[in-house]
Amino acid sequence: MISKPWRERLTYVAMSAFVGWHTLAMVIAPAPDSSVIVQSVRGLFQPYLTLFRLDNLWDFFAPTVGKGSQFHYIVEDGAGNRHTFVPAADLSWFHPGYFWFRSWYYAIIETPELYADSAAALLCRKHAALHPTSITLLEIQEGDFTRDDQLDGKHPMDPEFITVNTLKRATCTDS
């Protein structure tokens, strides 16, 4: 049997080796395959990377953030006034319903043929105090936005960088 001090040292060495191995694997996984060093070491690490699903295109060091979409809607009242709402702006990250509502908004954007009618009916009831005549559901898509645009003081949601898609225009019925 190994004495207690040797067992502790052996445990420390094994844990240190694992941490070093895992750290090196995390550095190698997102590295480009064009590097000769990465190509030579990848064969050794590939089974480990595959087992723990670390070998993917995470772009770990410099992520490419995709363009997003936002759900907006316009309520037109009896007097012809148009009121624009951005429902995601009212959500709080700390509220449990945040992810549910965001998923619902994305479902309306992705499949309006399934969800737009029920969303419009719900929004007509929600804004009954405005006496709405119609609801227009919109998808606001972000366009290309560069570093130079940011340095010029522009915002990704400025009108020149967005595309507005009308998902559905629904008439509100008096109920």
Side-chain angles (χ1 to χ4, degrees):
M1 192 147 160
I2 302 174
S3 67
K4 185 177 179 181
W6 278 103
R7 191 172 48 231
E8 289 175 356
R9 287 184 188 137
L10 186 59
T11 301
Y12 184 80
V13 167
M15 289 173 41
S16 297
F18 173 74
V19 169
W21 174 270
H22 187 74
T23 302
L24 190 57
M26 286 179 50
V27 170
I28 289 171
D33 287 330
S34 59
S35 169
V36 176
I37 296 171
V38 171
Q39 286 177 357
S40 64
V41 179
R42 188 173 292 272
L44 180 63
F45 282 90
Q46 192 61 46
Y48 182 79
L49 295 172
T50 304
L51 178 66
F52 291 107
R53 297 183 180 205
L54 295 173
D55 194 17
N56 52 37
L57 300 176
W58 284 347
D59 292 341
F60 184 77
F61 296 111
T64 302
V65 178
K67 298 175 189 139
S69 293
Q70 281 189 356
F71 175 68
H72 293 205
Y73 61 93
I74 299 171
V75 176
E76 188 171 338
D77 64 18
N81 298 321
R82 296 167 59 98
H83 307 273
T84 302
F85 295 91
V86 183
D90 298 332
L91 299 177
S92 169
W93 276 80
F94 304 110
H95 190 274
Y98 173 82
F99 295 103
W100 188 88
F101 283 110
R102 292 272 308 214
S103 296
W104 186 55
Y105 300 148
Y106 286 129
I108 295 168
I109 289 172
E110 291 169 5
T111 51
E113 62 277 1
L114 293 176
Y115 300 108
D117 290 328
S118 59
L122 179 73
L123 294 171
C124 285
R125 287 191 302 271
K126 177 179 179 181
H127 296 288
L130 294 173
H131 304 291
T133 57
S134 68
I135 300 278
T136 306
L137 306 177
L138 305 171
E139 173 191 14
I140 309 297
Q141 289 183 327
E142 290 182 28
D144 293 330
F145 187 79
T146 65
R147 179 182 62 88
D148 293 332
D149 296 328
Q150 179 75 36
L151 293 174
D152 290 342
K154 298 177 182 174
H155 189 271
M157 296 304 282
D158 286 346
E160 65 187 288
F161 300 110
I162 63 169
T163 304
V164 179
N165 297 325
T166 302
L167 301 172
K168 175 90 176 182
R169 180 172 162 75
T171 304
C172 295
T173 57
D174 293 331
S175 47

